[in-house]
Amino acid sequence: QTRELLAEGPLDLVVWPETVYTRGIQGPLPVAGHLIRRDIEVPLLFGAASVRSAPDGRTRKYNSAFLIAADGTIRDGYDKNLLVPFAERLPFGDSLRPLFPHAQDFGATDATPPLVLGEWRMATPICYEAAIPGFVRRMVAEAQPNLLVMLSNDAWFGDSHEPWIHLAVARMRAIEHHRFVVRATNSGVSAVVDPAGRLVTRSGLLTRENLRG
């Protein structure tokens, strides 16, 4: 799909959804991104699982956003701060594992660094982090972004109201911070939103589409 999009004309940045790359990117940064982007020579922002040593010495997995620069190097990343209970973490440890066998055990951080592309700074709330106004306020205050890029996996919800609610939430964040928002999802609804909350372009739900904005 990215090759199809590039065939229509040049782009400054390509954005893929949350956890689109699941093999695990081994930190710390910088690391090479050539195996991920292959022949795509445009900067690429994408969601991925990442793996590295935690402060307690254990190896932890994180739900992350990364930026592959034009030279193929991953220098900037963001790890999700707010994990979804019973999906990305178990609130009471492994005692509930028999009831939620598919729950992940991601690590969380409290850092909100921007992903930097030239002179542009991007804040990247992942999935339902975008629905927490106070968290996005903190992220914007600390990262000072020019652009908000929201990555999400909404396939959990199928053909329901939730993806449309998630889009409405993204529009609210655009208005609150008066910034453009790019929302990239694996199943819809992906969109580009202007700083007044108006839709520049959007996809459908459960459709195969490429957006250019």
Side-chain angles (χ1 to χ4, degrees):
Q1 284 186 256
T2 301
R3 293 188 184 102
E4 293 172 4
L5 194 59
L6 289 170
E8 299 172 6
L11 295 169
D12 298 309
L13 175 69
V14 171
V15 181
W16 288 350
E18 177 188 10
T19 55
V20 70
Y21 186 79
T22 58
R23 294 182 183 178
I25 294 176
Q26 182 74 46
L29 302 180
V31 297
H34 295 88
L35 292 178
I36 299 167
R37 72 171 192 173
R38 301 189 186 182
D39 60 337
I40 298 167
E41 297 183 355
V42 177
L44 172 63
L45 195 161
F46 66 103
S50 64
V51 181
R52 66 179 184 276
S53 296
D56 61 7
R58 294 191 302 162
T59 298
R60 295 302 304 270
K61 181 170 63 174
Y62 297 87
N63 185 351
S64 306
F66 291 106
L67 177 66
I68 303 178
D71 67 357
T73 303
I74 302 175
R75 296 182 180 87
D76 294 328
Y78 162 72
D79 299 320
K80 191 174 183 182
N81 285 207
L82 307 179
L83 302 178
V84 179
F86 307 107
E88 294 177 315
R89 68 176 179 87
L90 287 177
F92 303 104
D94 286 336
S95 61
L96 294 179
R97 181 69 59 186
L99 296 175
F100 300 93
H102 300 295
Q104 300 289 315
D105 184 25
F106 285 105
T109 72
D110 58 5
T112 57
L115 276 57
V116 180
L117 178 62
E119 62 184 26
W120 304 101
R121 299 161 64 88
M122 296 170 286
T124 54
I126 297 174
C127 195
Y128 97 117
E129 287 184 325
I132 311 300
F135 174 75
V136 179
R137 281 197 298 273
R138 177 168 73 84
M139 175 176 267
V140 169
E142 294 177 2
Q144 292 293 302
N146 307 100
L147 176 69
L148 294 174
V149 181
M150 300 175 179
L151 311 180
S152 190
N153 169 9
D154 281 352
W156 297 84
F157 302 99
D159 186 5
S160 70
H161 291 299
E162 194 281 345
W164 300 102
I165 295 170
H166 215 159
L167 174 62
V169 165
R171 297 175 71 179
M172 289 298 296
R173 301 294 90 84
I175 296 167
E176 289 167 355
H177 300 287
H178 201 64
R179 285 167 170 82
F180 274 92
V181 166
V182 173
R183 174 166 157 73
T185 73
N186 59 344
S187 57
V189 180
S190 299
V192 178
V193 184
D194 78 7
R198 296 170 297 206
L199 290 172
V200 177
T201 184
R202 71 162 176 83
S203 73
L205 180 61
L206 303 178
T207 57
R208 184 186 186 280
E209 294 184 63
N210 306 321
L211 293 186
R212 173 181 290 265

